[in-house]
Amino acid sequence: GTPVELGCEAEGRPPPLLSWFRGGHLLREEPVSTGLSLVLPGVEPDQAGIYTCVAENRHGRHNRSLQLHVA
């Protein structure tokens, strides 16, 4: 039930589209941004899993994933 905030930052020219995914489902997206937070207000065990931030512009795509464990 504790809130969790996941952060993601990326730079590029042109500025990237930043997106948060979990299990292939888009959770949040922000065009032309250098930072994007994903706030999970009250984390429950069913929200455990792999979360991926994707930064993409016309030059390419980069991503980072993290695994959230909920006890």
Side-chain angles (χ1 to χ4, degrees), residues 6 8-11 14-21 26-38 52-57:
L6 308 177
C8 179
E9 294 183 8
E11 294 181 13
L17 168 69
L18 294 179
S19 307
W20 272 108
F21 292 88
L26 178 65
L27 301 174
R28 184 154 186 230
E29 185 172 76
E30 186 71 36
V32 190
S33 178
T34 58
L36 181 63
S37 293
L38 178 64
T52 302
C53 178
V54 177
E56 184 172 14
N57 67 15

Side-chain angles (χ1 to χ4, degrees), residues 19-71:
S19 307
W20 272 108
F21 292 88
R22 179 175 175 238
H25 294 92
L26 178 65
L27 301 174
R28 184 154 186 230
E29 185 172 76
E30 186 71 36
V32 190
S33 178
T34 58
L36 181 63
S37 293
L38 178 64
V39 177
L40 306 172
V43 176
E44 299 295 330
D46 65 339
Q47 292 175 293
I50 297 174
Y51 289 78
T52 302
C53 178
V54 177
E56 184 172 14
N57 67 15
R58 69 175 180 242
H59 300 294
R61 176 183 172 122
H62 188 72
N63 65 63
R64 293 282 177 166
S65 296
L66 61 90
Q67 182 151 5
L68 178 66
H69 296 275
V70 181

